[in-house]
Amino acid sequence: MGVLDQRFEKNFMISSVDYVFNWARKSAIWPLTFGLACCAIEMIASTTSRFDLARFGAEVFRPSPRQSDLMIVAGTVTLKMAPVLKRVWDQMPDPKWCISMGACSSVGGPFNAYPVLQGVDRIVPVDVYVVGCPPRPEGLIYALLKLQDKIDQMSLAKRPTEIRLHPEMAEDFKRNVMVAQTPSPR
């Protein structure tokens, strides 16, 4: 028998790099606090002891976008808030994910008016939608589980979040959103 025989049998585990990275990513999701309206109350309730979002790996809501990898958009996104939301999204490190919580952030809700963005997916890519007005905390937990299933299917060879918009759509959005600006000087 050689010196190394029978020495390392219990110390090896064979796996893929994708599996290990995906396991680490889905087990430690750090959501960003981005509550805009009544859905934020339900998002906050999901962290209480009754629902305990921490047992699913999303324990600490981070106050900084540079420490977060999940943005939960909970509530009505106005056109005035849309550039701020986009800036916060851009500050988050990759890989990053987005959950649209509630009817207002998903499709504008009952507010079919000019100051309300009709769906947050027009400015950031949304991975999971939570239905309801306002949705229950169980809906957010289910969305988190669906996001973890999506993270399990990821590969390091592809970008996790692809922008679903064409560049000209983003430019058209910027042109239409004019807060305290005039369209053109006369």
Side-chain angles (χ1 to χ4, degrees), residues 110-150:
F111 308 110
N112 191 8
Y114 71 92
V116 177
L117 182 66
Q118 300 299 308
V120 74
D121 57 352
R122 294 180 182 223
I123 54 174
V124 297
V126 175
D127 295 297
V128 182
Y129 294 89
V130 182
V131 297
C133 183
R136 297 272 308 143
E138 294 94 343
L140 179 59
I141 291 172
Y142 183 72
L144 182 68
L145 292 174
K146 287 295 157 191
L147 180 64
Q148 288 176 335
D149 290 343
K150 185 175 183 175

Side-chain angles (χ1 to χ4, degrees), residues 41-55 137:
I41 302 299
E42 301 296 327
M43 178 178 68
I44 294 166
S46 69
T47 62
T48 61
S49 60
R50 180 175 179 189
F51 300 105
D52 195 21
L53 193 65
R55 60 192 160 137

Side-chain angles (χ1 to χ4, degrees), residues 69-141:
D69 54 6
L70 170 64
M71 176 186 280
I72 302 173
V73 181
T76 309
V77 181
T78 61
L79 293 181
K80 193 171 186 177
M81 183 56 84
V84 176
L85 189 140
K86 178 69 171 146
R87 185 178 324 127
V88 169
W89 174 261
D90 291 339
Q91 290 175 356
M92 292 172 60
D94 282 329
K96 54 190 170 187
W97 301 279
C98 181
I99 291 178
S100 176
M101 185 174 178
C104 290
S105 65
S106 297
V107 293
F111 308 110
N112 191 8
Y114 71 92
V116 177
L117 182 66
Q118 300 299 308
V120 74
D121 57 352
R122 294 180 182 223
I123 54 174
V124 297
V126 175
D127 295 297
V128 182
Y129 294 89
V130 182
V131 297
C133 183
R136 297 272 308 143
E138 294 94 343
L140 179 59
I141 291 172

